[in-house]
Amino acid sequence: DEVKFNRETQKLVRQSNAFKVLPDLHANGALTVTENLADVGGIVFAYGALNRYLEAHPEENKIIDGLTQGQRCFIAWGQMWSGKMREGFLRQITATNPHAAGQYRSYAAAQHEPGFYAAFGIRKGDPMWLAPRDRVRIW
């Protein structure tokens, strides 16, 4: 179990390490892996809870402002992490904080949830596509 768990979390480290916080600064995947894993768990469980609720209350499964409930879930997740930071602070937290910058957290965890791809019709080759072999599956 530990070997499998570590193999899955290394996917998060690689994904984060590839993210450019600034043109000359990459995220620190090893530093943020535990919080990034918590984010994946959070969006997986939240999206699952939404779907269970909608199954029990189909009358609530409405399109609002042209968006499905699934799309609204992922958009709300992204908006939760929106914000602006000064460059110096962004450099400091990238080097020292186990929480990734919001600009990364706004979408990275969602890329591990299959419902994200279904909600927006994301396909291989699209900018938000993350290959299935690179997606974390722990729960």
Side-chain angles (χ1 to χ4, degrees):
D1 288 344
E2 180 182 4
V3 170
K4 290 178 183 177
F5 178 83
N6 289 335
R7 185 177 25 213
E8 291 299 301
T9 59
Q10 284 305 304
K11 294 175 183 179
L12 293 173
V13 172
R14 287 190 301 273
Q15 180 188 21
S16 182
N17 283 345
F19 180 76
K20 283 190 171 188
V21 178
L22 294 167
D24 65 336
L25 180 65
H26 282 264
N28 184 339
L31 178 63
T32 60
V33 65
T34 56
E35 290 297 328
N36 294 341
L37 181 58
D39 286 350
V40 171
I43 193 64
V44 166
F45 290 125
Y47 185 71
L50 170 66
N51 283 313
R52 284 188 297 282
Y53 177 82
L54 293 174
E55 285 174 13
H57 303 90
E59 71 280 2
E60 297 290 330
N61 197 1
K62 301 175 187 174
I63 293 177
I64 300 172
D65 295 329
L67 300 169
T68 67
Q69 295 298 319
Q71 289 170 328
R72 293 171 65 81
C73 175
F74 293 111
I75 290 169
W77 175 269
Q79 288 176 328
M80 177 177 66
W81 297 113
S82 67
K84 291 191 70 91
M85 296 179 200
R86 292 178 182 243
E87 182 179 330
F89 182 69
L90 194 50
R91 288 183 183 282
Q92 178 185 355
I93 67 165
T94 299
T96 62
N97 194 327
H99 300 88
Q103 65 198 67
Y104 176 76
R105 295 178 85 175
S106 67
Y107 73 89
Q111 290 180 296
H112 297 275
E113 168 53 52
F116 176 67
Y117 298 89
F120 294 102
I122 298 168
R123 303 280 180 252
K124 185 176 182 179
D126 290 341
M128 294 302 293
W129 176 262
L130 185 64
R133 71 178 178 279
D134 296 325
R135 300 178 197 168
V136 172
R137 300 291 350 143
I138 293 178
W139 303 275

